[in-house]
Amino acid sequence: MPPMLLPALPLLLGATLTFRAVRHALCRLPLPAHVRADPLRTWRWHNLLVSFAHSIVSGIWALLCIWQTPEMLVEIEKAWSLSGYLLVCFSAGYFIHDTVDIVISHQSRASWEYLVHHVMAMGAFFSGIFWSRFVGGGVLTLLVEVSNIFLTIRMMMKINNAQHLLLYRVNKYINLVMYFLFRLAPQAYLTHLFLGYAGQRTLGTFLLAILLMLDVMILVYFSRLLRSDFCPQRIPSHQHKDKFLTE
């Protein structure tokens, strides 16, 4: 058990408001001409800027947490650190902010997959925040944010129609490697650990169910990534228009 349990609600509120402030600040940055011409692309660009900021901070933070508390790699339920606990609160605040941003911007229909993902992620993180369990597992799941750094760069370049640039071609291979190292591999490892809770009537079983659903989503996203970046000729032409929303 952790030596202390910080007030969860103030931390979540503070993290959520922080991302709201970050979005407000990033919206002041100049927009590429192609993005500025389309209100939908403008909203998505600002949304991705916040996601990019979250990925950089939380991805590096997760690596530091594991370096400081390596037992999180094997003891996903009881391993705890103050830094890891604050990281989980920080990322839960981002998911709350992004969910609200999608809803109030009337993008729920176009971004429903993000909403489903966020609800599942928040459900998992709350176990660490309110019950102080599986903080280690939460930190491990946030290794995915290292991959998201390059995935977000890719999506922003697609929104700006910059797929012809050398940076996009280089990034798509880096993104593929990072997808394996920090998304597929950690997810497979976590699934292996959580399968030990199968058949039990515990919080671990609930989190296993969430994890298995996330596994399916990640594999679907991976197939889209491969098809979009490496087999684009197989995508029907009528699908290209709005694919930047989810791919």
Side-chain angles (χ1 to χ4, degrees):
M1 293 298 292
M4 62 181 294
L5 182 60
L6 297 176
L9 291 178
L11 285 172
L12 286 173
L13 178 61
T16 304
L17 294 177
T18 295
F19 281 107
R20 184 64 183 173
V22 168
R23 188 186 191 283
H24 181 73
L26 292 176
C27 284
R28 296 176 178 271
L29 296 176
L31 292 169
H34 185 74
V35 173
R36 187 171 59 248
D38 186 332
L40 180 57
R41 290 177 184 268
T42 298
W43 171 81
R44 189 67 179 127
W45 182 270
H46 290 148
N47 181 269
L48 286 172
L49 280 177
V50 180
S51 175
F52 187 61
H54 169 255
S55 294
I56 292 175
V57 174
S58 60
I60 295 174
W61 195 346
L63 289 171
L64 289 175
C65 284
I66 293 172
W67 178 69
Q68 293 170 343
T69 314
E71 54 265 32
M72 287 183 175
L73 289 171
V74 292
E75 183 47 74
I76 56 174
E77 180 176 359
K78 296 180 181 178
W80 191 93
S81 71
L82 177 59
S83 181
Y85 181 81
L86 293 176
L87 170 59
V88 171
C89 290
F90 176 78
S91 289
Y94 165 72
F95 289 125
I96 294 171
H97 156 78
D98 199 48
T99 299
V100 173
D101 184 41
I102 290 172
V103 172
I104 65 176
S105 300
H106 307 291
Q107 297 300 325
S108 300
R109 184 174 181 179
S111 304
W112 67 269
E113 294 174 32
Y114 288 99
L115 293 178
V116 172
H117 170 271
H118 290 0
V119 169
M120 290 192 291
M122 287 186 286
F125 285 162
F126 286 165
S127 66
I129 295 171
F130 293 107
W131 286 275
S132 196
R133 296 170 61 191
F134 294 100
V135 171
V139 171
L140 287 181
T141 63
L142 287 169
L143 288 175
V144 70
E145 297 301 335
V146 178
S147 168
N148 278 349
I149 294 172
F150 302 94
L151 186 62
T152 304
I153 292 174
R154 169 189 176 274
M155 294 175 70
M156 294 181 73
M157 294 190 73
K158 290 194 72 173
I159 290 175
N160 196 30
N161 277 359
Q163 297 97 313
H164 61 284
L165 296 180
L166 176 61
L167 177 59
Y168 183 91
R169 295 195 294 272
V170 172
N171 182 76
K172 78 175 184 179
Y173 290 104
I174 297 176
N175 180 47
L176 185 63
V177 173
M178 292 299 176
Y179 205 100
F180 273 106
L181 293 179
F182 291 99
R183 188 179 293 262
L184 294 178
Q187 196 76 7
Y189 178 68
L190 269 173
T191 302
H192 169 72
L193 293 179
F194 270 102
L195 283 174
Y197 295 92
Q200 304 177 17
R201 294 184 178 181
T202 63
L203 179 59
T205 309
F206 168 72
L207 294 177
L208 172 61
I210 291 178
L211 191 63
L212 291 174
M213 288 187 285
L214 288 174
D215 287 348
V216 174
M217 294 185 72
I218 285 176
L219 291 175
V220 170
Y221 292 156
F222 184 56
S223 68
R224 290 180 182 176
L225 175 67
L226 293 177
R227 183 180 60 177
S228 178
D229 273 357
F230 299 96
C231 304
Q233 67 277 9
R234 296 186 180 183
I235 303 177
S237 59
H238 70 274
Q239 292 185 9
H240 280 287
K241 182 179 180 182
D242 296 322
K243 277 300 179 182
F244 64 86
L245 287 172
T246 56
E247 295 187 8

